[in-house]
Structure formats: C-alpha cells, structure tokens
Amino acid sequence: MAVPMTRMSELSTSDDAEVEVSTSVHHPSGRKSFKTCIKSPRQRIVFLCVLIAILAAAVGALIGYFVPLALKPSCTKMSSASEDVHKKFADEVSTKELENNLRYFSSKPHVGGSEREKVLADHIAEKWREYGFDDVEMPEYQVLLSLPQEDQPNKVEIVNKGLVEYTILGKINVDNTKDGSDSFNYFPFLSYAPSGEAEGELVYCNEGSESDFQELDKVGISVKGRVVLLRGYNGNVITAERRGAVGALLYVDPNVVAQEGYASKDTYPETVWMSKDAVFSRALNVHYGDQLTPNLPSIPGMYRRPRNESSLPSIPAQPISYGDALHLFSLLKGEEVPSTWRGDLKVTYRFGPGFSKPNTTLRLRVNNKLVVKSIYNVIGTIKGHAEPDRYVLLGNHRDAEFFGAVDASSGTATLMEISRILGKRKSDGWRPRRTVKFCSWGAEEFGLIGSVEWVQENAKLLSNRAVVYLNTDVAVGVNYVVIAQTCPMIENAVFCRAKKVKDPSKSSVYDTMKSRFPSRRNKGEPGTIPYMYFSDYLPFYMSIGIPSVDFSYFHGHDDQYRLYPVYHTQEDSFYWMETFIDPKFEYHATMTKLVGGLLLDFSEALVLPYDVVRYAKAVSASFEFLEKELLNANNNIQTQHVKSAIREFTNASNLFQATKEELNGNGSELILRAINDQLVQVEKAFITPYLNVSDPMYKHVFSRNYYGLWFPGVTRAMQNAVKTNEFSEVKIQLSLVEEALLSAADILKPLICK
C-alpha cells in the first residue's frame, strides 16, 4: 500500500460525501439524446417507442415521491450469486492454506524489481496454471526504479569540528523470527531520493506542509541551506526543497505508532506497537507509474523521456527511527514548538536551527541509485460462459518494503486462496457468468507501477470490457474493523455481501462495521472512506472510470482508526501477524469470504449490483458543500447549470433504478445486457483528460480522492484562483463537471420499449 495522503485522524469523519439531501425529483430539462429501442423476443410491442418520453416524466415524478428518504441497502437475488455458489465457496476456505501462503510470501524480503519478487511471480503463475486457469500471462515492463547500494549504505552523522560524534547507519540486521534464527540486512531508504551529500544546521519542520513553513516564517526561521527534520508518513520533502532546504530526514512519531509507550516491554517484539529501532520507508515520486513513460506503457517502442525531466526530488533524503529522532531532538536548540507540532517522545520539541553544542552540524550521505529494471505482473483468467467479454478483476500487489507480511502479503494470501477455490470449482465444471481476471502487480511500492503500466497498455480494452476492480492490499492490518475504500456505486453491494459474512466474533461483518465505524451521515449504516490509502485500484477508477473497492482490517485505538503500527517497516513480519493479530488466521478467512463473495456477486449476477441513486445523492451532497466554498470565494461564479445537471442526473438515476427493479431478472439476455451496459458506462462519463490536477493519472471529475477532495479539478482551480484572483479555470472545471453529469444522465435514460 502506498502512503496515505490524508491525516489518519481524519479517517473517522471521511465518509461525509454521502450526506442526506432532498429526494424531490424535477422534470428533465429536455436535453436531446439518441435512444435505441430494444424489443424482447418474448414480448410483443405494446407501446410505441415515441411514448417513452411522455411516460418518463410521469414515472419520474412518481419515483421522486416514493423513493425512500434514507439510503437503505437493497439486496436482490438478481444482483448476487446464488446461495449455493456462495456456500460451496465459503466451505472451501482454509485457514491452513492462508497461513501457508502468508508464511511463504513473507519469508524473505521481496522489494520491487528484486530477484525474489520475480520468484514469487513465477510461483503465482505456476499455481494458476496448476489450478486450471484458461490463460496465465506475465506482462513485463522496463521501468525506472530507485534502490539503495548495499555496499554503501546511506548515513546520517552529527559532526563537531570535523569529528563524527553520532552515526545513524542505513543498514540494520533484522530477524524474521523472535529467536534470531533467520536474519537479513534491511536498508531503509526513500526511493527516488537522489544520491548526494548535504551538511548544515538541522531545523524541525513538523510535517513540512506549506502551513508549517508559514509557522516557521512567523518565528523568523528559514530552512535555506539547512537540513530539515520532518515527521509523519507524509513528510513533505518537495515543499522543503522549494523552501531551499539541502537535505531531509523523516521519522514517524510514537504518538502514531507506539501509543502505549515506547519502552522495550511496550513495543515489538513484545507487543503490537512499533519499536524505537524500526524505520519507515516509502517512495518520494510525485507521479504514479514509470517515471520515464508518463501516459504511456513502458513496453518496447514507447518514448522514454530523459531522467532530468522526471518530477523527482533533487535533495538527498533519508528515513530514521523515532529512537534516533529522540536523540536529535535532545541536541536541538531554539524555541519550543507549538503544541500541535509535539509528539510523544519524552523530550522538548524545539525548532532549531542547529544544536546546542557549538560548531556542530548534521551531515547526510545518500547513495541511492536509479536503475532501469524489469518488473512483472501476473494475470490469470477464468473465462465467463455467458459474457466472456465482460471482466471482473481482483488484484493485489506482490512487492513489499521488506518482509511485508501485512503489506501486501496478507492480501496475496487472500488472493491465492480465492484463486485456489475457484480453480477447484472450475475443475468441477463451474464457470462464472462473466470472465474473472486475477492480477498480481509488481513494484506497487515505487508508485503503483505494475498496475498503472498495465492499465495504460490495456486502457481501451478495459474501458470497453471491465466491470469492476476489487483490491486486496492490506487485507488484514489488525483485527478491529473492516473498512472499505470505495465509490458510491459499489457501497450497496459491499453492505449486502458484508451482511452475509460472519467474522470471528460470530457477528456479521456488516454489524461489526456499523458498530465500530458508523457512518456520520447515513444513519444506521457503516462508514466507508474515500480512496485515500493509495493502492492499485487508483488507475482503474481515476484513469478509466472502473468502479473499484479496496478492503482492509484496520487498527483501532481510542476510537481512532489508523493503519497498523509497523506499516512499511522491517517489523511487518509473519511473526508480528501470527503472534499479535491473527494466530488462527480467522480474519484472513473472513476477508477471503468477503472479497471472494463480492467477486462472485459481480461475476455471477444477472444484473450488476450497482446503485446509481446512491451515486446521484453523493454527487448532489458533495456539490452542495463545494458550492458554499465557491460562493464564499467569488460571488460571480455561476453554479446553477451544474445544479440543473445534477437534477437531471438524479432524475435519470431514479427512473433507471425503477426500470431495473421492474425487470426482477425476467428480461431477455439482450435486455439484461443493455441494462448492465448502461450501468458500467455511468462512471466513465466522469472521466476527462482536462482535469486540473498535478498527476495526469487523475481524470475523474468527482473522484472522492485527491488529497481528500471531491471535484478535485474545481477545488484545485479555486485554490489557485484565490491567490491570483483569476477564476476562468474554475469556470472551465465546473463546465467539465456539468458535461459529465449530463452525459451520465443520457447514459441512464430508457433504452427499453414496452
């Protein structure tokens, strides 16, 4: 899992996209669109197609009256697989197989592009062939990676008058077992941080956000020519670089990863919490995918831009443990920082610059190396019997920052168990209605490279054929509550399946979700979160409009929902998982049944389990909030056309939903196909190449992502406009939203003639 782009503490309130709004239905605007009439072979024409426009207005008004005010899951038989199919699947789930899978995949380090990662790819391909899959492919991509040099580890030194007084070496001997019988060298690093040396005074800058640097401005501290110390998963090296810093150190404070104290008895390997010796690693690239082939797949023949044109940081940077950060803080001079900048280290947090001891500086030496290496995806296919040209995809990345028992081997174990069971079912004569594709991605931790390159290579095919993408990255992080990162179209399907799966407490997954992570807006429902813990679903949803969902068991402490404490460190090991989280592998089994069950629902259902009414409500509620911000910023911004488009989308959604429910699965194959085709095209209506965001991978005008924003193009344009007082780009981005909504409404308008 890539680094989350939102503060962890915001998680508990981040499902606010689905606020309740009025359900009154307005008459369609009359915007013209071409409609095709499909005649069922089982029925005679009773009404002429010309009557549809008249009936639509009347039915639309009735629907607006009778649609429930509250969002309630509607779980119909025609939108799920049969109970017999689900029972046979669930009965086959084996905790022993899950344990063996996790043990194997996390037994050795397997960084993206490494020999071990290729061994695991070959293993998966061999298993899928053994399971009798119809096709197994291993697409190869030549991509730019960044790796530490093992013979020249990165190094941080405190230097006084030329003499080294303290050294933090980027090489740690790590045990994969508590007794030390299996050890490896860990080289913590920040991938894509350039090689180089920096020396200067140290300044603490909190998370390194623009507001943090403004706080430094207030107290008269500049970071120009100095090394910065940043805390948190998202320590902002790029902003520090723009401010003139010559180097950066990152650490994660115990207030996030060791909340019950950081004495040895309170942390790993004695408890679930991260120890003072663990070091968090991550990538520093701004854009996702291969850095040399933006917008293009990194296959032979594609243009590769020069490395100096890549948007990579230009100052050396290195992660350190909070134990080493404690030592650095103990030496810093300067004023005390604001309370919001303090963590839980037992030390006075000071700004700096520099150390109390005169003539003392900090020297940073980074020896990372940029290399072009082969990475591999593994794609396994079970062809559908009725709709082989419609794809239901399930994916998980294979690489890890080190052992990666949680991230992402817990997801890989789940993926492999689902594939084993469905392979066995296939050998017994079963086939899904739609084609199922299992996907193992390479080099996700370097910026979703494997999935981005595959989507770029197959974008046109997937845009036409893909139905849904399900992701299992951190499948079992801890064991408190399942949280879904998803879009409104899929929420109802998630809830319906969660009601039918029991967790180890014998409650349904749905009930546990509802009690431990309730929605703040849709009363009586569990919460979901936007796409803010970045993983391989992003290119599917953000680039080509494939509805996606990612599942993870999250950590709960003092009612705060966070990632698991040893995230992206050397302590994310099989021992940690087996000892503290899931010794019987029951939570892995629960996740297998939940994700596998949803996979069956989408691959077997007569009518795809999407909810366009819920989508319309989410869009309406989100724009209502955005409109207030727009009007506060500039009274000349006109929003009535977007609001009219929202009403048209809402009307079309309500009418479509009623038409779909009237069928009750009794329509001909042709009619069912038409209904499903309309459903899968809705999300694609929100894709545009003109979105005003920094990463070209993002093309979704609604998105519920991009640093926690809805309508990211509008919001980003507005942020810039407030500074420049030029609002033309805001109006352009609003026009893109309007066009998307009207297109989605057109897609949903009636195709069936009664």
mmCIF file with all atom_site columns, all heavy atoms in Angstrom, residues 447-458:
data_model
loop_
_atom_site.group_PDB
_atom_site.id
_atom_site.type_symbol
_atom_site.label_atom_id
_atom_site.label_alt_id
_atom_site.label_comp_id
_atom_site.label_asym_id
_atom_site.label_entity_id
_atom_site.label_seq_id
_atom_site.pdbx_PDB_ins_code
_atom_site.Cartn_x
_atom_site.Cartn_y
_atom_site.Cartn_z
_atom_site.occupancy
_atom_site.B_iso_or_equiv
_atom_site.pdbx_formal_charge
_atom_site.auth_seq_id
_atom_site.auth_comp_id
_atom_site.auth_asym_id
_atom_site.auth_atom_id
_atom_site.pdbx_PDB_model_num
ATOM 1  N N   . GLY A 1 447 ? 5.278  3.343  -6.574  1.00 0.00 ? 447 GLY A N   1
ATOM 2  C CA  . GLY A 1 447 ? 4.316  4.256  -7.180  1.00 0.00 ? 447 GLY A CA  1
ATOM 3  C C   . GLY A 1 447 ? 3.332  3.553  -8.083  1.00 0.00 ? 447 GLY A C   1
ATOM 4  O O   . GLY A 1 447 ? 3.076  4.015  -9.200  1.00 0.00 ? 447 GLY A O   1
ATOM 5  N N   . LEU A 1 448 ? 2.767  2.428  -7.608  1.00 0.00 ? 448 LEU A N   1
ATOM 6  C CA  . LEU A 1 448 ? 1.723  1.691  -8.341  1.00 0.00 ? 448 LEU A CA  1
ATOM 7  C C   . LEU A 1 448 ? 2.176  1.323  -9.755  1.00 0.00 ? 448 LEU A C   1
ATOM 8  O O   . LEU A 1 448 ? 1.366  1.263  -10.693 1.00 0.00 ? 448 LEU A O   1
ATOM 9  C CB  . LEU A 1 448 ? 0.438  2.519  -8.442  1.00 0.00 ? 448 LEU A CB  1
ATOM 10 C CG  . LEU A 1 448 ? -0.026 3.309  -7.222  1.00 0.00 ? 448 LEU A CG  1
ATOM 11 C CD1 . LEU A 1 448 ? -1.352 4.013  -7.528  1.00 0.00 ? 448 LEU A CD1 1
ATOM 12 C CD2 . LEU A 1 448 ? -0.170 2.440  -5.998  1.00 0.00 ? 448 LEU A CD2 1
ATOM 13 N N   . ILE A 1 449 ? 3.451  1.019  -9.934  1.00 0.00 ? 449 ILE A N   1
ATOM 14 C CA  . ILE A 1 449 ? 3.985  0.927  -11.291 1.00 0.00 ? 449 ILE A CA  1
ATOM 15 C C   . ILE A 1 449 ? 3.343  -0.207 -12.083 1.00 0.00 ? 449 ILE A C   1
ATOM 16 O O   . ILE A 1 449 ? 2.891  -0.016 -13.217 1.00 0.00 ? 449 ILE A O   1
ATOM 17 C CB  . ILE A 1 449 ? 5.521  0.777  -11.269 1.00 0.00 ? 449 ILE A CB  1
ATOM 18 C CG1 . ILE A 1 449 ? 6.158  2.052  -10.722 1.00 0.00 ? 449 ILE A CG1 1
ATOM 19 C CG2 . ILE A 1 449 ? 6.050  0.519  -12.680 1.00 0.00 ? 449 ILE A CG2 1
ATOM 20 C CD1 . ILE A 1 449 ? 7.676  2.028  -10.665 1.00 0.00 ? 449 ILE A CD1 1
ATOM 21 N N   . GLY A 1 450 ? 3.283  -1.410 -11.516 1.00 0.00 ? 450 GLY A N   1
ATOM 22 C CA  . GLY A 1 450 ? 2.760  -2.543 -12.270 1.00 0.00 ? 450 GLY A CA  1
ATOM 23 C C   . GLY A 1 450 ? 1.344  -2.331 -12.753 1.00 0.00 ? 450 GLY A C   1
ATOM 24 O O   . GLY A 1 450 ? 1.024  -2.574 -13.923 1.00 0.00 ? 450 GLY A O   1
ATOM 25 N N   . SER A 1 451 ? 0.458  -1.870 -11.875 1.00 0.00 ? 451 SER A N   1
ATOM 26 C CA  . SER A 1 451 ? -0.940 -1.683 -12.260 1.00 0.00 ? 451 SER A CA  1
ATOM 27 C C   . SER A 1 451 ? -1.102 -0.503 -13.211 1.00 0.00 ? 451 SER A C   1
ATOM 28 O O   . SER A 1 451 ? -1.885 -0.569 -14.168 1.00 0.00 ? 451 SER A O   1
ATOM 29 C CB  . SER A 1 451 ? -1.819 -1.491 -11.020 1.00 0.00 ? 451 SER A CB  1
ATOM 30 O OG  . SER A 1 451 ? -1.364 -0.411 -10.234 1.00 0.00 ? 451 SER A OG  1
ATOM 31 N N   . VAL A 1 452 ? -0.386 0.592  -12.977 1.00 0.00 ? 452 VAL A N   1
ATOM 32 C CA  . VAL A 1 452 ? -0.503 1.753  -13.861 1.00 0.00 ? 452 VAL A CA  1
ATOM 33 C C   . VAL A 1 452 ? -0.065 1.394  -15.277 1.00 0.00 ? 452 VAL A C   1
ATOM 34 O O   . VAL A 1 452 ? -0.731 1.731  -16.263 1.00 0.00 ? 452 VAL A O   1
ATOM 35 C CB  . VAL A 1 452 ? 0.323  2.942  -13.327 1.00 0.00 ? 452 VAL A CB  1
ATOM 36 C CG1 . VAL A 1 452 ? 0.444  4.036  -14.383 1.00 0.00 ? 452 VAL A CG1 1
ATOM 37 C CG2 . VAL A 1 452 ? -0.312 3.516  -12.068 1.00 0.00 ? 452 VAL A CG2 1
ATOM 38 N N   . GLU A 1 453 ? 1.074  0.688  -15.397 1.00 0.00 ? 453 GLU A N   1
ATOM 39 C CA  . GLU A 1 453 ? 1.565  0.346  -16.736 1.00 0.00 ? 453 GLU A CA  1
ATOM 40 C C   . GLU A 1 453 ? 0.602  -0.591 -17.457 1.00 0.00 ? 453 GLU A C   1
ATOM 41 O O   . GLU A 1 453 ? 0.374  -0.470 -18.662 1.00 0.00 ? 453 GLU A O   1
ATOM 42 C CB  . GLU A 1 453 ? 2.959  -0.284 -16.642 1.00 0.00 ? 453 GLU A CB  1
ATOM 43 C CG  . GLU A 1 453 ? 4.020  0.620  -16.042 1.00 0.00 ? 453 GLU A CG  1
ATOM 44 C CD  . GLU A 1 453 ? 4.075  1.982  -16.704 1.00 0.00 ? 453 GLU A CD  1
ATOM 45 O OE1 . GLU A 1 453 ? 4.187  2.054  -17.942 1.00 0.00 ? 453 GLU A OE1 1
ATOM 46 O OE2 . GLU A 1 453 ? 3.984  2.997  -15.979 1.00 0.00 ? 453 GLU A OE2 1
ATOM 47 N N   . TRP A 1 454 ? 0.016  -1.540 -16.720 1.00 0.00 ? 454 TRP A N   1
ATOM 48 C CA  . TRP A 1 454 ? -0.917 -2.490 -17.339 1.00 0.00 ? 454 TRP A CA  1
ATOM 49 C C   . TRP A 1 454 ? -2.191 -1.779 -17.779 1.00 0.00 ? 454 TRP A C   1
ATOM 50 O O   . TRP A 1 454 ? -2.718 -2.052 -18.861 1.00 0.00 ? 454 TRP A O   1
ATOM 51 C CB  . TRP A 1 454 ? -1.238 -3.615 -16.362 1.00 0.00 ? 454 TRP A CB  1
ATOM 52 C CG  . TRP A 1 454 ? -1.943 -4.780 -16.984 1.00 0.00 ? 454 TRP A CG  1
ATOM 53 C CD1 . TRP A 1 454 ? -1.413 -5.734 -17.810 1.00 0.00 ? 454 TRP A CD1 1
ATOM 54 C CD2 . TRP A 1 454 ? -3.326 -5.128 -16.815 1.00 0.00 ? 454 TRP A CD2 1
ATOM 55 N NE1 . TRP A 1 454 ? -2.371 -6.657 -18.154 1.00 0.00 ? 454 TRP A NE1 1
ATOM 56 C CE2 . TRP A 1 454 ? -3.558 -6.311 -17.567 1.00 0.00 ? 454 TRP A CE2 1
ATOM 57 C CE3 . TRP A 1 454 ? -4.391 -4.575 -16.106 1.00 0.00 ? 454 TRP A CE3 1
ATOM 58 C CZ2 . TRP A 1 454 ? -4.802 -6.944 -17.626 1.00 0.00 ? 454 TRP A CZ2 1
ATOM 59 C CZ3 . TRP A 1 454 ? -5.634 -5.189 -16.165 1.00 0.00 ? 454 TRP A CZ3 1
ATOM 60 C CH2 . TRP A 1 454 ? -5.834 -6.368 -16.917 1.00 0.00 ? 454 TRP A CH2 1
ATOM 61 N N   . VAL A 1 455 ? -2.697 -0.864 -16.948 1.00 0.00 ? 455 VAL A N   1
ATOM 62 C CA  . VAL A 1 455 ? -3.884 -0.107 -17.330 1.00 0.00 ? 455 VAL A CA  1
ATOM 63 C C   . VAL A 1 455 ? -3.580 0.775  -18.539 1.00 0.00 ? 455 VAL A C   1
ATOM 64 O O   . VAL A 1 455 ? -4.389 0.880  -19.473 1.00 0.00 ? 455 VAL A O   1
ATOM 65 C CB  . VAL A 1 455 ? -4.402 0.734  -16.146 1.00 0.00 ? 455 VAL A CB  1
ATOM 66 C CG1 . VAL A 1 455 ? -5.458 1.741  -16.610 1.00 0.00 ? 455 VAL A CG1 1
ATOM 67 C CG2 . VAL A 1 455 ? -4.997 -0.173 -15.078 1.00 0.00 ? 455 VAL A CG2 1
ATOM 68 N N   . GLN A 1 456 ? -2.412 1.403  -18.556 1.00 0.00 ? 456 GLN A N   1
ATOM 69 C CA  . GLN A 1 456 ? -2.051 2.225  -19.710 1.00 0.00 ? 456 GLN A CA  1
ATOM 70 C C   . GLN A 1 456 ? -1.934 1.388  -20.977 1.00 0.00 ? 456 GLN A C   1
ATOM 71 O O   . GLN A 1 456 ? -2.352 1.821  -22.058 1.00 0.00 ? 456 GLN A O   1
ATOM 72 C CB  . GLN A 1 456 ? -0.739 2.966  -19.436 1.00 0.00 ? 456 GLN A CB  1
ATOM 73 C CG  . GLN A 1 456 ? -0.880 4.087  -18.418 1.00 0.00 ? 456 GLN A CG  1
ATOM 74 C CD  . GLN A 1 456 ? 0.438  4.748  -18.064 1.00 0.00 ? 456 GLN A CD  1
ATOM 75 O OE1 . GLN A 1 456 ? 1.516  4.205  -18.325 1.00 0.00 ? 456 GLN A OE1 1
ATOM 76 N NE2 . GLN A 1 456 ? 0.370  5.927  -17.470 1.00 0.00 ? 456 GLN A NE2 1
ATOM 77 N N   . GLU A 1 457 ? -1.393 0.195  -20.859 1.00 0.00 ? 457 GLU A N   1
ATOM 78 C CA  . GLU A 1 457 ? -1.239 -0.675 -22.024 1.00 0.00 ? 457 GLU A CA  1
ATOM 79 C C   . GLU A 1 457 ? -2.593 -1.178 -22.529 1.00 0.00 ? 457 GLU A C   1
ATOM 80 O O   . GLU A 1 457 ? -2.783 -1.380 -23.735 1.00 0.00 ? 457 GLU A O   1
ATOM 81 C CB  . GLU A 1 457 ? -0.346 -1.867 -21.678 1.00 0.00 ? 457 GLU A CB  1
ATOM 82 C CG  . GLU A 1 457 ? -0.091 -2.787 -22.854 1.00 0.00 ? 457 GLU A CG  1
ATOM 83 C CD  . GLU A 1 457 ? 0.794  -3.974 -22.507 1.00 0.00 ? 457 GLU A CD  1
ATOM 84 O OE1 . GLU A 1 457 ? 1.020  -4.228 -21.306 1.00 0.00 ? 457 GLU A OE1 1
ATOM 85 O OE2 . GLU A 1 457 ? 1.269  -4.650 -23.440 1.00 0.00 ? 457 GLU A OE2 1
ATOM 86 N N   . ASN A 1 458 ? -3.540 -1.388 -21.624 1.00 0.00 ? 458 ASN A N   1
ATOM 87 C CA  . ASN A 1 458 ? -4.813 -2.015 -21.979 1.00 0.00 ? 458 ASN A CA  1
ATOM 88 C C   . ASN A 1 458 ? -6.014 -1.094 -21.765 1.00 0.00 ? 458 ASN A C   1
ATOM 89 O O   . ASN A 1 458 ? -7.142 -1.574 -21.652 1.00 0.00 ? 458 ASN A O   1
ATOM 90 C CB  . ASN A 1 458 ? -4.998 -3.292 -21.139 1.00 0.00 ? 458 ASN A CB  1
ATOM 91 C CG  . ASN A 1 458 ? -3.907 -4.306 -21.395 1.00 0.00 ? 458 ASN A CG  1
ATOM 92 O OD1 . ASN A 1 458 ? -3.906 -4.998 -22.403 1.00 0.00 ? 458 ASN A OD1 1
ATOM 93 N ND2 . ASN A 1 458 ? -2.957 -4.400 -20.468 1.00 0.00 ? 458 ASN A ND2 1
#
